[in-house]
Amino acid sequence: MGNTMLITFTSDSANEGQGFDVRYRLVQVKSTYAPCNQTLVASGTEQVLTSPGYPQISLLTQSCIFTIRAQSGYHIRVTLIDLDIEYSPACKHDSLTISDGTLTLDELWCGKRAGEVVNSQRNEITVIYGIDDSNNGQGFSLKYSEVRGSASRVQEMVMPVRNTPLYLTSPGFEKRFPQGITYSYIFTADPRQRIRLRVQESYLRYNTADGSCLSERVRLYDGPSSTSSELKSINTGEYGWCALDLPVFISSSNYMTMVFKTVNSFDHGRIGFVLMYEQGNFSDPLPCGESLTASLRKSYLMKKIQPHTSCTWVLTRETNNTYIQLNVLRYDVGRRNDDKCGADHVEIYDGDTEASSRIALLCGSKSGALYIGTGGQMMVKLVTGESPVTFHIEYSSSHEDRCTPKDRRATEQPDYLVSPSYPNKYASGLHCTWLIDSGNADYIVKFKVVQASIVSSVDCTYDYLAVYDGMSEATRVQLGKWCWGVDETETIYSTQRYLTVVFHTSKDNTASGFRLRYWRDAAPEEQGQATATGSNMGTILGGIFGGLIPLAVIIFII
């Protein structure tokens, strides 16, 4: 690892593409760091512990264990000044862990966060820091000190000067659920700022039959203690929350208090919640509608909107090299009559205004539809009529394009082509085209549809996978068309070096898509029409029409 990097780009004289686009930056790397594994002694004066090299970005894999001890009769208080490492589900790549061997303190953190305060139940804690050699940030910085007596379950969440979103996970979430304990969190912002708290995930005990709460509601108060007036959610209109609700709260000052009581029951490890909080000059909340940022981390928007209301949410991607993904998890919006929506409906636009391309018009009661934007913004508009409506969406940004790279080169070694997001649900409103080239006129392309799950429709009108013999679908020589579930087809082959694969989806429900295996083979000396081996040739060629009609069409073309 030095101060020079060589990038070599090579291309031949055929099959030109767009090339590549890379980003680079200069990062200082220390040759030596402070000891990584240490035993530290806490005192009444706050001391600072940082990851090796902080705040410089590390390009190396690191694994550190720090043990912090206090005197007998004392506990340890830790304040997280800054954490900037890679985020991943369950923090499986990079992580910072703080534990004291009890059920109360067992924190697992990753991503970007700051301002959290934790207290040990014992006079010794263990801090474990681990990162790999990719997507690394500045590391961590924290303060620690010893405090006389037993730890209080009141945590002071002092926000840093920078106005960036912070995250809080309930104790024991996805690990060990603490029983019969009351936790209080006091959020403090700059005196000139207000606090906005958004619940991103919530898994609190509820009755699966009617959705009623089986545990106490998490309560929010508009001030520095639980004696302050109780806060009402700006999107659900209720005080506090429980079950699977995802409310948003905004304080009227720079203080907010949250009280969370756990129950004395043996629940699965996912009981708890994850929330995001931030400070800013937030105006008084409107009935609904706001600007949202789509990051690589999934966020959720759950709304129960009153009648005669129109709400608009504009989603903006966090970074320029990503695409916004909007997954409609569930909606119950009016009724669909004669395949048309009435006063109650949801509109989704590929842009930030109604002048943008509308990619979906939803109504009725359904779930499961994925939409991917083509630019930096998407807009969701909800209109209600005589009745209240509910809908629940998940939004994030991803490096995945709407359609995977267009051109493929077939070789003797089989390769695979899959639909976008496979095996997860494909997006609505797609029309993807891939050209597969054998590389030489002496070779043809062979393929099999290994697996397909595509929403069916009469005559494959809405969603379908189609394969054509030639350089585009304009050749009209169709080798197969599928719009249902497929386990595996027989081998099908082209009459020339090119094969075109088209995947089209409508603007309604979606499924998992397809997986297609392709390879090249020597062209036969007597090249006939495009065909498929096996006895079900008609089924493969004709889609849902059967075998005789497409066979007659092929003979007519010849």
Side-chain angles (χ1 to χ4, degrees), residues 434-447:
W434 298 274
L435 179 66
I436 303 178
D437 180 11
S438 69
N440 192 298
D442 294 330
Y443 290 88
I444 60 173
V445 180
K446 293 186 175 183
F447 73 94

Side-chain angles (χ1 to χ4, degrees), residues 164-332:
T164 56
L166 307 172
Y167 295 90
L168 172 65
T169 303
S170 60
F173 185 61
E174 295 191 315
K175 295 185 290 294
R176 295 188 296 269
F177 183 63
Q179 302 175 26
I181 299 175
T182 298
Y183 294 92
S184 296
Y185 302 87
I186 302 174
F187 300 90
T188 305
D190 185 273
R192 296 164 295 178
Q193 306 283 300
R194 301 168 76 178
I195 301 169
R196 180 167 62 189
L197 184 149
R198 186 190 305 275
V199 181
Q200 304 231 312
E201 296 183 54
S202 178
Y203 302 93
L204 301 176
R205 301 181 70 247
Y206 68 101
N207 189 320
T208 56
D210 59 13
S212 61
C213 301
L214 295 180
S215 59
E216 291 198 40
R217 301 179 70 85
V218 181
R219 299 290 180 177
L220 278 296
Y221 299 91
D222 194 19
S225 73
S226 58
T227 61
S228 305
S229 59
E230 196 167 357
L231 266 178
K232 181 183 290 187
S233 167
I234 66 172
N235 62 325
T236 66
E238 298 180 355
Y239 291 103
W241 88 91
C242 68
L244 305 179
D245 293 344
L246 301 175
V248 179
F249 302 90
I250 296 180
S251 67
S252 62
S253 68
N254 65 318
Y255 290 106
M256 181 187 292
T257 299
M258 180 177 71
V259 178
F260 171 47
K261 295 182 179 180
T262 67
V263 296
N264 287 299
S265 64
F266 293 93
D267 287 298
H268 61 79
R270 197 165 173 76
I271 293 293
F273 56 83
V274 177
L275 56 84
M276 180 186 76
Y277 60 99
E278 56 189 332
Q279 63 179 357
N281 295 314
F282 305 118
S283 59
D284 291 331
L286 298 174
C288 62
E290 60 184 316
S291 297
L292 304 172
T293 300
S295 64
L296 295 177
R297 179 179 181 141
K298 292 181 180 179
S299 299
Y300 298 89
L301 180 65
M302 184 176 181
K303 294 294 178 181
K304 299 177 182 178
I305 307 301
Q306 298 304 309
H308 306 294
T309 304
S310 178
C311 312
T312 300
W313 295 270
V314 176
L315 310 178
T316 303
R317 65 188 179 189
E318 191 172 45
T319 55
N320 291 331
N321 61 337
T322 58
Y323 298 86
I324 299 174
Q325 291 189 343
L326 192 155
N327 188 11
V328 181
L329 302 177
R330 178 174 62 87
Y331 62 90
D332 184 3

